[in-house]
Amino acid sequence: EVQLVESGGGLVQPGGSLRLSCAASGFIFSRYNMKWVRQAPGKGLEWLSYISTSSSTIYYADSVKGRFTISRDNAKNSLYLEMNSLRAEDTAVYYCTRESPIVLAVSDYWGQGTLVTVSS
Amino acid sequence: QSALTQPPSASGSPGQSVTISCTGTSSDVGDYSYVSWYQQHPGKAPKVMIYEVTKRPSGVPDRFSGSKSGNTASLTVSGLQAEDEADYYCSSYAGSNNFEVFGTGTKVTVL
């Protein structure tokens, strides 16, 4: 069974940093592109970042470019999101998603999400 | 990259049909056939219902169908059932760099 389990969320002050992790199981992690998507409370979904299987291709949304860094460790079946210079508007549930192996940009599996709250 | 535009809400009685629009630009919806639709129930992670404009993943009822014309994609739910009440989001590939953009979301209510 495919499982994606995010961790690392919590309360952080504006300007602070946080590192999210996503532990993958039930599939060969190194063969799948991965993404981070977030959802602010009561708001819609927002794509944040994409990383290819070998980390050779990485994309970011303009809203997080220069502040967030996506990475992965295929040996540990893990995806990461390093978040710096956090702002109140970064408050959201952060989802780790797996890109479908057959369809570009489609997330066929999602984690349960981890809540990040940026507040003083 | 701006979010794709969806109506905030849509509704229908059980058994009826509801159609949700998703309007983008010639740089996303209009340029690619990589439009997807996700269903999200409260407190749950989204689930893909339609991909590549018209295709349904295994297990998704054929009551769900998708289409696209120009810069606007649509999701139709026929024969509405109580369990279809949820938020629906469209998504489109937007080329390298921008990669993916979601819609603003539509809350579907089954009356």
Side-chain angles (χ1 to χ4, degrees), chain A residues 35 39 47 59 103 106-107, chain B residues 36 38 40 51 97-98 100:
Chain A
K35 298 184 285 185
Q39 186 170 35
W47 168 78
Y59 301 123
V103 186
V106 170
S107 293
Chain B
S36 306
Y38 295 87
Q40 186 182 33
Y51 66 95
N97 294 325
N98 291 317
E100 183 176 5

Side-chain angles (χ1 to χ4, degrees), chain A residues 103 106, chain B residues 34-39 47-57 60-67 74-76 89-91:
Chain A
V103 186
V106 170
Chain B
Y34 294 113
V35 176
S36 306
W37 289 91
Y38 295 87
Q39 177 191 66
K47 171 188 174 184
V48 59
M49 306 300 283
I50 295 286
Y51 66 95
E52 288 184 332
V53 180
T54 61
K55 299 177 180 178
R56 280 187 313 276
V60 172
D62 59 6
R63 303 184 290 103
F64 291 85
S65 62
S67 63
S74 298
L75 172 73
T76 297
Y89 295 91
C90 60
S91 166

Side-chain angles (χ1 to χ4, degrees), chain A residues 54-117:
Chain A
S54 64
S55 304
S56 59
T57 301
I58 287 175
Y59 301 123
Y60 296 100
D62 288 343
S63 59
V64 303
K65 199 173 295 182
R67 299 189 301 124
F68 290 11
T69 302
I70 191 172
S71 62
R72 64 189 295 163
D73 185 335
N74 288 339
K76 294 184 178 180
N77 293 332
S78 293
L79 176 72
Y80 306 101
L81 187 67
E82 188 76 39
M83 305 186 296
N84 298 316
S85 302
L86 284 163
R87 308 164 180 166
E89 54 265 36
D90 294 319
T91 294
V93 172
Y94 285 72
Y95 293 103
C96 156
T97 83
R98 187 185 86 168
E99 185 180 67
S100 166
I102 58 172
V103 186
L104 184 64
V106 170
S107 293
D108 61 355
Y109 283 92
W110 297 61
Q112 84 289 349
T114 187
L115 176 62
V116 172
T117 303

